[in-house]
Amino acid sequence: MKVDQVALLAAALAAVLSTSSAEGAWEPFECVVGGVLLLIVFAFHDFTVARRNRRARAAVSGVLALLWCLALAWPVQEFVARDESHVPGLLTGLWVVLFGAHAAYLSWGVGFRKARG
């Protein structure tokens, strides 16, 4: 099955933005949405492109970090933040860490099979 890689990441990004733009506290269902989106991206995205291209690596890392933040927003709010006003700062810091972790993982190419020729 051929999946348009840009469309896949754009759909995931759109889902994150539409889910996170709701007002009020984070809810457990948003964790489920984030987790399902992560599963879809990991199942269908071709990470070998991001491994070779620095801009693609940054784009993929940014979207994956946002998906993880969506999946972890409610637990951060409920179990980590002392006050609801701290949640945005904690999620921003989490995004930075996850962005760097994904970018490093993709640049090292850990877990990728070499193309057979």
Side-chain angles (χ1 to χ4, degrees):
M1 173 184 354
K2 185 108 169 137
V3 176
D4 185 339
Q5 302 300 303
V6 175
L8 177 64
L9 291 175
L13 182 59
V16 168
L17 293 175
S18 66
T19 304
S20 64
S21 65
E23 294 202 21
W26 292 97
E27 296 184 15
F29 184 70
E30 292 162 336
C31 291
V32 174
V33 171
V36 169
L37 288 169
L38 280 167
L39 288 173
I40 290 169
V41 171
F42 282 121
F44 295 106
H45 187 71
D46 180 10
F47 288 96
T48 57
V49 174
R51 181 179 175 204
R52 294 185 303 251
N53 183 308
R54 192 177 309 167
R55 285 180 290 187
R57 187 167 44 246
V60 170
S61 297
V63 170
L64 286 173
L66 279 175
L67 290 174
W68 279 111
C69 285
L70 178 62
L72 296 171
W74 180 75
V76 164
Q77 172 186 281
E78 292 297 313
F79 305 113
V80 178
R82 293 183 181 166
D83 185 326
E84 193 174 302
S85 66
H86 295 136
V87 175
L90 289 169
L91 290 177
T92 301
L94 182 62
W95 182 86
V96 170
V97 169
L98 290 169
F99 175 83
H102 281 292
Y105 181 82
L106 290 170
S107 68
W108 293 331
V110 177
F112 293 101
R113 287 185 252 156
K114 292 186 179 184
R116 296 179 190 189

